[in-house]
Amino acid sequence: MSENNYLQVDHLVKYFGDDRAVDGISFGIPEGKFLTLLGPSGCGKTTTLMCIAGLHKPDAGEIRIGSDPVTSIEKRINTAPEKRNIGMVFQSYAIWPHMDVTQNVAYPLEIRNMAQSEIDDRVAEALKIVGLTDMADKNATQLSGGQQQRAALARAMVFRPRLLLFDEPLSNLDLKLREQMRVELKRIQHEIGITSIYVTHDQAEALVMSDEIIVMSKGHIEQTGGPHNIYARPVNRFVSNFIGVANLTEGRIVGNGGGGAGAIEISQGGESVQLPCLLADGLSEGDDAYLSVRPENVDASRKPMDGPRIEGEVIQSVFLGNCLDCRVKWGEFEWKVLAHSRERLRVGEKVYVRLDPDHTLAVRP
Amino acid sequence: MATDTAAPQIDVAPPRGWRTWFTQENIITTIVGLIVAVAVIVPLVALVINSFLVLDDLGFDTEWGLQNYRDIFHGHVIRKALVNTAIISTGCTILATLLGVSLAWINARTNCPFREQLEPFNLIPFFLSPFVGAIAWHNLASPKVGLINNMAKTAFGIDFPLFNVNNLWGVIWVTGIFFAPLVYLFVVGSLRRMDPSLEDSARTTGAGLFRTTMTITLPLVTPAILSGAIIVFVTTAGEFGVPFKLSAPFGWETLTTQIFTKAVGDDANHYLGAAMSMVVGVVTAFFIWIQHRIIAPRSYTTVTGKGFRPNLIDLGRWRWLAFAYNLSYVCVAVFLPIICLFFVSLHKIWSGRIIWSELTFWNYQKVLFFWWPESIQAATNGIINSFILAFGGASIAMVVAIIVSYMIHRTKGFGARLLDFLSVIPIGFPGIVLAMGVLVTYIRTPIYATLWILLLGYITRFFPYGQRNISSIMMAVSEELDQSSRMAGASWLTTLRRITIPLLKPGIFAGWILLFVIFLRELSISIILYSAGTETLSVGVYYLSNFENEPMTSALSIAQTVALLICIVIFRKVAGKEALTA
């Protein structure tokens, strides 16, 4: 599998002082795909990106682009960033304020000693793709945040790099613009077809844009997979908690029906209940685990329902139009429930909670 | 599901590739870093070593010992100089702080009339030479030839001298008014950028205007005031020109004037001079360390990204008093000295009175016309040498400053921390102390008695000023601007040339002119390191003052002052109004 990958990172380690910021991670990405490194701040995602860019030198590991080993600490290879032919969009956009938009975008081509006519053509084409044709003569300081973002993208791709790297490029934009740019970025990446790596802490961004997501924390990879997979089948407590909203509570595996199906026992206030669930890889009977179920897969109703019985008290009920956002207290645990709005549950009512067994997961602690 | 949580733990003892180390960046920064390290550390080490060498009675041989230090603390003359230095520094600090804080408050926070016109004049003493200020005040207020005293005699028949600056009070007065802008610069920035809601919320709790100023505004700028006060204390302790002109001839020596006599002249004893320099240096370095480590980090972050428009306090009728106060400061610190020097310089002999019928430009011919056989060599050499040193020194120092700032802010690891440290050290040692170190280091090398040793002394002592100018911009400019150039395919040098330096341009110009000004008026390093033929402007002034007469001294002083004033105008044009208010 790793031979097919266009970019391959192997056993990457980077220290900052005594802090192991990146702790021996490995991953790859096929040509033309869009990979996102997702995680909270300090998880090592930006450091990983900087190592790929060549702006940081890792302490161990290998990075290969195509058949070109750009970094191999063992073989004492560490190609200078300018020799890697990688385009990068920075968090602050890094549009040079002493140049206008055209000069900014033309810069990488001038460095490569291209003919002026070719530079003009390429800059015009790049500006067209990002929709900045009208802004070509504007000074960098006259651009809005979104426009600077587009100019930075044009500058990063104008020299047709082997890779495009994005370091939280949308985090400085306001919400509306951010949502618009997500779609736009994805469209442009698809159009030019350059293999891309995107770093973000915003899970919504990652879910919308990526072909593949790598969830990181504390320098480790927690889970790798497509957006749907990451959301629907988190493998551990961290991923379940970090992506979307989940009910998470401690339990123990009590049954393993094979084929990934099983049962988990959870207890609250002396009351325990066994729930059918899907088991994450590596969990077997008797293991400590966490129950993970998204609020939309939990229902609450006044009448008892089939299956395991969980009875609790509504302590919060907010009408959202299409559904009710409820909290149901069961022992010390509060279930987050998105209930049918026709249920009209009121605070203080006794209700029965039912979990959808097809979307109830047992995940690693 | 391709998870990788079980990634093997790799024990990192990676073989470092020594060949990959030889990049443009590493080679250039390492070379510059090493040069800076040698230039800063070697003179100080030499100073320490020499201070423990004791000259025997015949003056030929030396042996290790503590006798130099015993002489300082027990010898009558030197101990008195130590006490005088402490009195002057303390007095000057009090005066300069009172002046600086009050003027800054008037300019930044009140509706004092014409404050925008007055502000540039408040800063002029910062650029001028305190030595020249001392010469001017000598001619204004010494008992016999003082212009003010003689005018008082003529006008009111006052028989006794009204003022006498030829003593410690005179030194405190002149250094106080000349160093007040240092405090002013520290405080005015904090006052201007203070979040007005801090004061507004005090007002809403019922505190009056005066009470708010005393309990909120001033406490908030206390760290800035303390920083300014410490800088003034240290600067005064290392000040040579003012006590040399005003108090030393009348028996009040200071450590700096004593160091001078031990460095040059018949009584020279470099080892004792080194020991005295050590005493001054240890004290000043300690205070700078306090300022750097304890006070500067406590500066309250009243600064946010927003452009505040601080509340202006309506002084009512009192605003004219504030105006008069500020105007008097400008008069005693700028106008009176310059006007006095000008008139003195137009006389062949100065007797303390303006004699309108005898005004002449003869003195200017003597000190400026370097092609004229009768011109005074020390003065004309000084002008030429100072311009060479100022131009070359400012240029080289700025190159060093750029590379050092780059290393401090754009690289990590030991080298960056070391340079950060090294670029504070010269600030902690007065020019005369560092010059003493340079002297004992290089006295037996060919660069002694050339302009090179002066250049080395200037750059070593003052490159941190340029470096601070660059650093403040470099911190504001995102590193990503450099990195994106690398990613676009540009090498380190190309990035430096096309991105980093163009972005730093305003800071480079401002720093260059600041250093040019400092070098053009530099006295305390030059006085130790010059020799016949390598006089500088201020050394020329010193020479005329010692061996010629007051009018000629005044003529060269005016020439220097005019050159400095031109630089100030250029500085304000290039750097903008806010450039100095850090």
Side-chain angles (χ1 to χ4, degrees), chain B residues 165-194:
Chain B
V165 289
N166 293 329
N167 50 39
L168 292 184
W169 300 109
V171 177
I172 290 174
W173 167 246
V174 172
T175 50
I177 57 177
F178 268 78
F179 295 150
L182 283 172
V183 180
Y184 182 96
L185 284 169
F186 268 95
V187 177
V188 81
S190 301
L191 280 174
R192 284 231 168 86
R193 289 172 304 179
M194 187 180 290

mmCIF file of all heavy atoms in Angstrom, chain B residues 165-194:
data_model
loop_
_atom_site.group_PDB
_atom_site.id
_atom_site.type_symbol
_atom_site.label_atom_id
_atom_site.label_comp_id
_atom_site.label_asym_id
_atom_site.label_seq_id
_atom_site.Cartn_x
_atom_site.Cartn_y
_atom_site.Cartn_z
ATOM 1 N N VAL B 165 27.580 76.527 38.238
ATOM 2 C CA VAL B 165 27.433 75.127 37.817
ATOM 3 C C VAL B 165 28.743 74.359 37.934
ATOM 4 O O VAL B 165 28.795 73.195 37.558
ATOM 5 C CB VAL B 165 26.919 75.023 36.367
ATOM 6 C CG1 VAL B 165 25.472 75.437 36.284
ATOM 7 C CG2 VAL B 165 27.783 75.810 35.423
ATOM 8 N N ASN B 166 29.777 75.005 38.441
ATOM 9 C CA ASN B 166 31.059 74.318 38.515
ATOM 10 C C ASN B 166 31.166 73.475 39.780
ATOM 11 O O ASN B 166 32.067 73.644 40.582
ATOM 12 C CB ASN B 166 32.197 75.330 38.460
ATOM 13 C CG ASN B 166 32.252 76.005 37.102
ATOM 14 O OD1 ASN B 166 31.893 75.381 36.090
ATOM 15 N ND2 ASN B 166 32.649 77.249 37.075
ATOM 16 N N ASN B 167 30.233 72.582 39.952
ATOM 17 C CA ASN B 167 30.237 71.709 41.126
ATOM 18 C C ASN B 167 29.299 70.522 40.840
ATOM 19 O O ASN B 167 28.792 70.381 39.733
ATOM 20 C CB ASN B 167 29.777 72.468 42.363
ATOM 21 C CG ASN B 167 28.477 73.212 42.100
ATOM 22 O OD1 ASN B 167 27.599 72.681 41.412
ATOM 23 N ND2 ASN B 167 28.367 74.431 42.601
ATOM 24 N N LEU B 168 29.067 69.709 41.855
ATOM 25 C CA LEU B 168 28.229 68.524 41.645
ATOM 26 C C LEU B 168 26.805 68.904 41.234
ATOM 27 O O LEU B 168 26.179 68.229 40.425
ATOM 28 C CB LEU B 168 28.200 67.674 42.917
ATOM 29 C CG LEU B 168 29.516 66.997 43.305
ATOM 30 C CD1 LEU B 168 29.319 66.122 44.528
ATOM 31 C CD2 LEU B 168 30.061 66.169 42.153
ATOM 32 N N TRP B 169 26.291 69.989 41.820
ATOM 33 C CA TRP B 169 24.922 70.398 41.456
ATOM 34 C C TRP B 169 24.824 70.733 39.985
ATOM 35 O O TRP B 169 23.818 70.430 39.335
ATOM 36 C CB TRP B 169 24.486 71.597 42.298
ATOM 37 C CG TRP B 169 24.479 71.304 43.755
ATOM 38 C CD1 TRP B 169 25.335 71.781 44.711
ATOM 39 C CD2 TRP B 169 23.584 70.394 44.431
ATOM 40 N NE1 TRP B 169 25.019 71.249 45.923
ATOM 41 C CE2 TRP B 169 23.963 70.394 45.797
ATOM 42 C CE3 TRP B 169 22.531 69.606 44.020
ATOM 43 C CZ2 TRP B 169 23.311 69.621 46.747
ATOM 44 C CZ3 TRP B 169 21.869 68.837 44.957
ATOM 45 C CH2 TRP B 169 22.260 68.847 46.307
ATOM 46 N N GLY B 170 25.869 71.384 39.476
ATOM 47 C CA GLY B 170 25.874 71.720 38.061
ATOM 48 C C GLY B 170 25.845 70.471 37.198
ATOM 49 O O GLY B 170 25.149 70.406 36.189
ATOM 50 N N VAL B 171 26.608 69.465 37.612
ATOM 51 C CA VAL B 171 26.622 68.210 36.853
ATOM 52 C C VAL B 171 25.236 67.566 36.893
ATOM 53 O O VAL B 171 24.715 67.113 35.880
ATOM 54 C CB VAL B 171 27.687 67.247 37.429
ATOM 55 C CG1 VAL B 171 27.649 65.920 36.677
ATOM 56 C CG2 VAL B 171 29.063 67.864 37.335
ATOM 57 N N ILE B 172 24.626 67.557 38.083
ATOM 58 C CA ILE B 172 23.282 66.979 38.200
ATOM 59 C C ILE B 172 22.299 67.744 37.324
ATOM 60 O O ILE B 172 21.473 67.159 36.626
ATOM 61 C CB ILE B 172 22.825 67.003 39.683
ATOM 62 C CG1 ILE B 172 23.651 65.993 40.481
ATOM 63 C CG2 ILE B 172 21.340 66.713 39.795
ATOM 64 C CD1 ILE B 172 23.398 66.040 41.968
ATOM 65 N N TRP B 173 22.412 69.070 37.330
ATOM 66 C CA TRP B 173 21.502 69.908 36.546
ATOM 67 C C TRP B 173 21.628 69.604 35.048
ATOM 68 O O TRP B 173 20.639 69.326 34.380
ATOM 69 C CB TRP B 173 21.812 71.381 36.847
ATOM 70 C CG TRP B 173 21.192 72.374 35.924
ATOM 71 C CD1 TRP B 173 21.835 73.195 35.057
ATOM 72 C CD2 TRP B 173 19.797 72.657 35.785
ATOM 73 N NE1 TRP B 173 20.948 73.970 34.378
ATOM 74 C CE2 TRP B 173 19.679 73.664 34.800
ATOM 75 C CE3 TRP B 173 18.646 72.160 36.370
ATOM 76 C CZ2 TRP B 173 18.455 74.178 34.404
ATOM 77 C CZ3 TRP B 173 17.415 72.679 35.980
ATOM 78 C CH2 TRP B 173 17.331 73.669 35.007
ATOM 79 N N VAL B 174 22.865 69.596 34.543
ATOM 80 C CA VAL B 174 23.043 69.409 33.095
ATOM 81 C C VAL B 174 22.679 67.976 32.679
ATOM 82 O O VAL B 174 21.956 67.763 31.695
ATOM 83 C CB VAL B 174 24.476 69.759 32.661
ATOM 84 C CG1 VAL B 174 24.704 69.391 31.211
ATOM 85 C CG2 VAL B 174 24.727 71.244 32.869
ATOM 86 N N THR B 175 23.169 66.966 33.430
ATOM 87 C CA THR B 175 22.814 65.591 33.051
ATOM 88 C C THR B 175 21.311 65.386 33.206
ATOM 89 O O THR B 175 20.685 64.732 32.390
ATOM 90 C CB THR B 175 23.566 64.561 33.917
ATOM 91 O OG1 THR B 175 23.413 64.920 35.290
ATOM 92 C CG2 THR B 175 25.023 64.496 33.562
ATOM 93 N N GLY B 176 20.723 65.977 34.243
ATOM 94 C CA GLY B 176 19.276 65.822 34.472
ATOM 95 C C GLY B 176 18.465 66.321 33.296
ATOM 96 O O GLY B 176 17.569 65.624 32.800
ATOM 97 N N ILE B 177 18.769 67.551 32.826
ATOM 98 C CA ILE B 177 17.960 68.065 31.723
ATOM 99 C C ILE B 177 18.279 67.340 30.414
ATOM 100 O O ILE B 177 17.409 67.205 29.556
ATOM 101 C CB ILE B 177 18.099 69.603 31.542
ATOM 102 C CG1 ILE B 177 19.547 70.005 31.317
ATOM 103 C CG2 ILE B 177 17.495 70.337 32.715
ATOM 104 C CD1 ILE B 177 19.726 71.502 31.072
ATOM 105 N N PHE B 178 19.497 66.821 30.276
ATOM 106 C CA PHE B 178 19.821 66.132 29.021
ATOM 107 C C PHE B 178 19.304 64.696 28.994
ATOM 108 O O PHE B 178 19.031 64.162 27.926
ATOM 109 C CB PHE B 178 21.329 66.173 28.747
ATOM 110 C CG PHE B 178 21.724 67.349 27.913
ATOM 111 C CD1 PHE B 178 21.826 68.597 28.481
ATOM 112 C CD2 PHE B 178 21.923 67.211 26.545
ATOM 113 C CE1 PHE B 178 22.147 69.702 27.715
ATOM 114 C CE2 PHE B 178 22.250 68.309 25.769
ATOM 115 C CZ PHE B 178 22.360 69.554 26.362
ATOM 116 N N PHE B 179 19.162 64.056 30.160
ATOM 117 C CA PHE B 179 18.699 62.662 30.161
ATOM 118 C C PHE B 179 17.199 62.543 30.435
ATOM 119 O O PHE B 179 16.647 61.447 30.379
ATOM 120 C CB PHE B 179 19.504 61.833 31.176
ATOM 121 C CG PHE B 179 20.961 61.710 30.807
ATOM 122 C CD1 PHE B 179 21.941 61.571 31.777
ATOM 123 C CD2 PHE B 179 21.354 61.734 29.480
ATOM 124 C CE1 PHE B 179 23.280 61.465 31.436
ATOM 125 C CE2 PHE B 179 22.692 61.633 29.121
ATOM 126 C CZ PHE B 179 23.661 61.496 30.103
ATOM 127 N N ALA B 180 16.534 63.661 30.720
ATOM 128 C CA ALA B 180 15.078 63.616 30.916
ATOM 129 C C ALA B 180 14.348 62.967 29.724
ATOM 130 O O ALA B 180 13.394 62.209 29.923
ATOM 131 C CB ALA B 180 14.532 65.015 31.190
ATOM 132 N N PRO B 181 14.779 63.233 28.479
ATOM 133 C CA PRO B 181 14.081 62.590 27.351
ATOM 134 C C PRO B 181 14.124 61.061 27.395
ATOM 135 O O PRO B 181 13.234 60.415 26.836
ATOM 136 C CB PRO B 181 14.838 63.110 26.121
ATOM 137 C CG PRO B 181 15.422 64.400 26.550
ATOM 138 C CD PRO B 181 15.769 64.227 27.994
ATOM 139 N N LEU B 182 15.135 60.477 28.051
ATOM 140 C CA LEU B 182 15.169 59.011 28.156
ATOM 141 C C LEU B 182 13.945 58.511 28.922
ATOM 142 O O LEU B 182 13.254 57.581 28.489
ATOM 143 C CB LEU B 182 16.441 58.556 28.880
ATOM 144 C CG LEU B 182 17.741 58.577 28.088
ATOM 145 C CD1 LEU B 182 18.917 58.284 28.996
ATOM 146 C CD2 LEU B 182 17.680 57.549 26.968
ATOM 147 N N VAL B 183 13.667 59.155 30.065
ATOM 148 C CA VAL B 183 12.492 58.784 30.843
ATOM 149 C C VAL B 183 11.236 59.101 30.035
ATOM 150 O O VAL B 183 10.301 58.303 29.956
ATOM 151 C CB VAL B 183 12.468 59.527 32.191
ATOM 152 C CG1 VAL B 183 11.246 59.128 32.997
ATOM 153 C CG2 VAL B 183 13.730 59.249 32.968
ATOM 154 N N TYR B 184 11.245 60.273 29.423
ATOM 155 C CA TYR B 184 10.114 60.713 28.609
ATOM 156 C C TYR B 184 9.748 59.651 27.572
ATOM 157 O O TYR B 184 8.588 59.276 27.431
ATOM 158 C CB TYR B 184 10.511 62.024 27.928
ATOM 159 C CG TYR B 184 9.447 62.662 27.080
ATOM 160 C CD1 TYR B 184 8.639 63.659 27.590
ATOM 161 C CD2 TYR B 184 9.267 62.283 25.747
ATOM 162 C CE1 TYR B 184 7.671 64.260 26.815
ATOM 163 C CE2 TYR B 184 8.303 62.874 24.965
ATOM 164 C CZ TYR B 184 7.509 63.867 25.500
ATOM 165 O OH TYR B 184 6.544 64.441 24.726
ATOM 166 N N LEU B 185 10.772 59.146 26.874
ATOM 167 C CA LEU B 185 10.510 58.175 25.812
ATOM 168 C C LEU B 185 9.922 56.883 26.372
ATOM 169 O O LEU B 185 9.031 56.280 25.764
ATOM 170 C CB LEU B 185 11.808 57.861 25.060
ATOM 171 C CG LEU B 185 12.248 58.955 24.099
ATOM 172 C CD1 LEU B 185 13.652 58.692 23.595
ATOM 173 C CD2 LEU B 185 11.283 59.047 22.934
ATOM 174 N N PHE B 186 10.418 56.442 27.511
ATOM 175 C CA PHE B 186 9.884 55.213 28.104
ATOM 176 C C PHE B 186 8.414 55.395 28.496
ATOM 177 O O PHE B 186 7.593 54.503 28.311
ATOM 178 C CB PHE B 186 10.692 54.820 29.345
ATOM 179 C CG PHE B 186 11.823 53.890 29.057
ATOM 180 C CD1 PHE B 186 13.096 54.357 28.842
ATOM 181 C CD2 PHE B 186 11.590 52.522 28.991
ATOM 182 C CE1 PHE B 186 14.136 53.496 28.556
ATOM 183 C CE2 PHE B 186 12.622 51.657 28.713
ATOM 184 C CZ PHE B 186 13.907 52.145 28.502
ATOM 185 N N VAL B 187 8.099 56.570 29.060
ATOM 186 C CA VAL B 187 6.788 56.752 29.674
ATOM 187 C C VAL B 187 5.728 57.170 28.664
ATOM 188 O O VAL B 187 4.580 56.721 28.730
ATOM 189 C CB VAL B 187 6.895 57.795 30.814
ATOM 190 C CG1 VAL B 187 5.529 58.058 31.415
ATOM 191 C CG2 VAL B 187 7.851 57.289 31.880
ATOM 192 N N VAL B 188 6.123 58.007 27.696
ATOM 193 C CA VAL B 188 5.090 58.593 26.836
ATOM 194 C C VAL B 188 4.382 57.517 26.006
ATOM 195 O O VAL B 188 3.174 57.591 25.794
ATOM 196 C CB VAL B 188 5.696 59.711 25.943
ATOM 197 C CG1 VAL B 188 6.397 59.142 24.734
ATOM 198 C CG2 VAL B 188 4.624 60.692 25.531
ATOM 199 N N GLY B 189 5.129 56.484 25.597
ATOM 200 C CA GLY B 189 4.511 55.407 24.818
ATOM 201 C C GLY B 189 3.439 54.695 25.631
ATOM 202 O O GLY B 189 2.320 54.484 25.149
ATOM 203 N N SER B 190 3.785 54.340 26.875
ATOM 204 C CA SER B 190 2.817 53.646 27.731
ATOM 205 C C SER B 190 1.591 54.517 27.977
ATOM 206 O O SER B 190 0.465 54.028 27.979
ATOM 207 C CB SER B 190 3.442 53.303 29.080
ATOM 208 O OG SER B 190 4.558 52.506 28.899
ATOM 209 N N LEU B 191 1.825 55.808 28.186
ATOM 210 C CA LEU B 191 0.687 56.694 28.449
ATOM 211 C C LEU B 191 -0.223 56.795 27.233
ATOM 212 O O LEU B 191 -1.443 56.799 27.347
ATOM 213 C CB LEU B 191 1.189 58.090 28.818
ATOM 214 C CG LEU B 191 1.671 58.289 30.254
ATOM 215 C CD1 LEU B 191 2.272 59.664 30.419
ATOM 216 C CD2 LEU B 191 0.520 58.099 31.238
ATOM 217 N N ARG B 192 0.375 56.865 26.073
ATOM 218 C CA ARG B 192 -0.418 57.037 24.853
ATOM 219 C C ARG B 192 -1.238 55.809 24.531
ATOM 220 O O ARG B 192 -2.363 55.908 24.062
ATOM 221 C CB ARG B 192 0.515 57.305 23.653
ATOM 222 C CG ARG B 192 1.067 58.684 23.632
ATOM 223 C CD ARG B 192 0.860 59.379 22.286
ATOM 224 N NE ARG B 192 1.172 60.790 22.445
ATOM 225 C CZ ARG B 192 2.406 61.270 22.337
ATOM 226 N NH1 ARG B 192 3.398 60.477 22.025
ATOM 227 N NH2 ARG B 192 2.629 62.545 22.512
ATOM 228 N N ARG B 193 -0.645 54.642 24.775
ATOM 229 C CA ARG B 193 -1.328 53.426 24.327
ATOM 230 C C ARG B 193 -2.172 52.803 25.421
ATOM 231 O O ARG B 193 -2.657 51.697 25.276
ATOM 232 C CB ARG B 193 -0.297 52.421 23.822
ATOM 233 C CG ARG B 193 0.313 52.849 22.501
ATOM 234 C CD ARG B 193 1.451 51.954 22.133
ATOM 235 N NE ARG B 193 2.434 51.929 23.213
ATOM 236 C CZ ARG B 193 3.538 51.204 23.173
ATOM 237 N NH1 ARG B 193 3.778 50.447 22.155
ATOM 238 N NH2 ARG B 193 4.398 51.233 24.167
ATOM 239 N N MET B 194 -2.347 53.517 26.518
ATOM 240 C CA MET B 194 -3.112 52.939 27.617
ATOM 241 C C MET B 194 -4.596 52.851 27.244
ATOM 242 O O MET B 194 -5.159 53.760 26.654
ATOM 243 C CB MET B 194 -2.936 53.806 28.856
ATOM 244 C CG MET B 194 -3.552 53.195 30.075
ATOM 245 S SD MET B 194 -3.291 54.283 31.458
ATOM 246 C CE MET B 194 -1.548 54.096 31.697
#
